[in-house]
Amino acid sequence: MTSFRAFRIHQDDAGFHAGLETMDTDALWPGEVLVKAAYSSVNFKDALAGTGKGRILRQFPLNGGIDVAGHVVASTDPAFKEGDAVLCTGAGLSETRDGGYGEYVRLDARWTIPLPAGLGLRESMILGTAGFTAALALAQMQDNRQTPSLGPIAVTGATGGVGMLAVDMYARAGYEVHAISGKADHFGFLAELGAAQCIDRHQLAFSGKPMDSARFGGALDNVGGTMLAGLLPLIAPYGNVAICGNAGGIAFDSTVMPFIIRGVNLLGVASAGTARDQRDRVWQHLASDWKPRHLDRIATREVTLDELPAVFPAMLAGQSFGRTVVRHAGT
């Protein structure tokens, strides 16, 4: 039994409350692999959970943090031994079991990923759920016959965590990337990441026609709402639109025309429950041919557990930029 600090989230008779606490490893959620955390990351979902602004946790109390990377200190599963570098994203962290905002975390061996060669622990958390989601979207698109020859891939919400990583990653994978964002002051940064063209969403006029001239070979949409509805008529025949966010709303109006005339495909990307074989495949890509070239630039902030609570309000207010990495004590 080891005592450690964690950002723990409660919902009880006193209402919602969260903050740093000292607890023992024996109190962690059950699992085969005990890990001393080195890094975690901050995602929008973490900010919702850590402030009580979203119903993320399905039980209380739990440690926050949907991502974690570190070294194994004990394991009852023979696939892992002391000292192994591992990571985990989603898979119930900070939803149904203790997450990565603790100096220790106990993981389910089924979802514990050995750190792939070519990727450092900190790099894996710059990627985290955001990078995994962007890569999973590309994997699903390519499984559905997406190729650079179909035309450029549009990335909406391009200055968000998923968007930035997707711009860099998709360019690395050989695609022409058109970044769509309402933050024109960051267009230079997006171009440096690999965007061939930056489009101001405020100046992106949609015709409202069921189908329009094809402009994009495919898209990764972080926005939903009217953005998704406007993109669908612009997708080339047999292109794919992968949807992974709803910053612009959960509902959209469209017609069946792009789907039944051009064979456009709408692919849902839900990273948290991804099957293990797909996780392994995606992380191997992230450590090699899809690894973004500018991870250190995309990681714009590094905080400790003590500094973590102050990050959440700014993120929810749309004031954050780039990826925030959480560095644990002793790292």
Side-chain angles (χ1 to χ4, degrees):
M1 184 174 66
T2 302
S3 294
F4 67 96
R5 296 198 312 153
F7 179 83
R8 198 155 178 82
I9 303 169
H10 299 260
Q11 180 75 52
D12 50 31
D13 292 341
F16 175 88
H17 54 107
L20 292 177
E21 300 178 17
T22 298
M23 60 183 296
D24 295 327
T25 51
D26 284 358
L28 285 168
W29 197 256
E32 297 86 0
V33 187
L34 180 63
V35 174
K36 188 177 191 307
Y39 294 98
S40 185
S41 67
V42 185
N43 303 278
F44 195 78
K45 194 173 182 180
D46 294 314
L48 290 172
T51 58
K53 302 296 185 183
R55 300 179 67 178
I56 306 301
L57 276 68
R58 301 180 196 173
Q59 58 188 55
F60 297 88
L62 288 178
N63 297 342
I66 64 172
D67 298 335
V68 70
H71 292 97
V72 174
V73 294
S75 175
T76 59
D77 188 302
F80 299 95
K81 65 181 186 301
E82 183 177 351
D84 285 350
V86 297
L87 65 91
C88 185
T89 59
L93 294 182
S94 189
E95 290 186 10
T96 59
R97 60 185 305 118
D98 290 310
Y101 291 162
E103 293 166 349
Y104 287 85
V105 60
R106 187 172 280 117
L107 302 175
D108 187 327
R110 292 176 301 165
W111 309 120
T112 305
I113 307 296
L115 185 72
L119 201 61
L121 288 172
R122 184 176 183 274
E123 290 179 322
S124 76
M125 290 296 98
I126 298 172
L127 291 164
T129 287
F132 181 77
T133 299
L136 179 61
L138 183 56
Q140 291 183 199
M141 287 192 280
Q142 291 196 162
D143 285 347
N144 215 38
R145 303 175 68 86
Q146 189 77 39
T147 64
S149 64
L150 287 178
I153 290 185
V155 175
T156 68
T159 55
V162 175
M164 279 186 190
L165 288 162
V167 168
D168 198 335
M169 188 185 306
Y170 295 5
R172 171 82 190 266
Y175 290 85
E176 180 179 324
V177 180
H178 290 190
I180 301 175
S181 172
K183 299 178 179 178
D185 54 325
H186 293 314
F187 281 1
F189 183 80
L190 292 173
E192 291 173 8
L193 295 185
Q197 184 175 338
C198 295
I199 304 167
D200 189 335
R201 68 174 172 83
H202 300 298
Q203 299 176 10
L204 185 59
F206 297 125
S207 70
K209 298 176 182 178
M211 288 194 301
D212 211 334
S213 298
R215 181 172 179 177
F216 306 113
L220 173 65
D221 181 39
N222 293 281
V223 177
T226 57
M227 176 64 74
L228 177 58
L231 280 175
L232 289 170
L234 304 178
I235 303 301
Y238 306 105
N240 298 283
V241 177
I243 173 72
C244 66
N246 62 348
I250 61 173
F252 69 98
D253 293 321
S254 187
T255 74
V256 300
M257 300 303 282
F259 308 111
I260 66 172
I261 301 299
R262 288 186 176 162
V264 171
N265 303 285
L266 186 60
L267 308 177
V269 183
S271 64
T274 306
R276 175 58 191 261
D277 62 332
Q278 182 77 314
R279 286 178 187 270
D280 289 337
R281 173 190 169 203
V282 169
W283 279 108
Q284 287 299 324
H285 277 303
L286 284 168
S288 55
D289 55 329
W290 294 357
K291 183 178 179 179
R293 294 186 174 96
H294 306 90
L295 286 177
D296 283 337
R297 297 202 61 196
I298 292 171
T300 55
R301 189 176 185 185
E302 185 169 301
V303 299
T304 64
L305 277 178
D306 292 291
E307 298 166 322
L308 178 62
V311 175
F312 299 145
M315 178 170 281
L316 294 180
Q319 297 170 355
S320 61
F321 178 73
R323 292 281 287 159
T324 298
V325 176
V326 181
R327 184 186 71 256
H328 290 284
T331 301

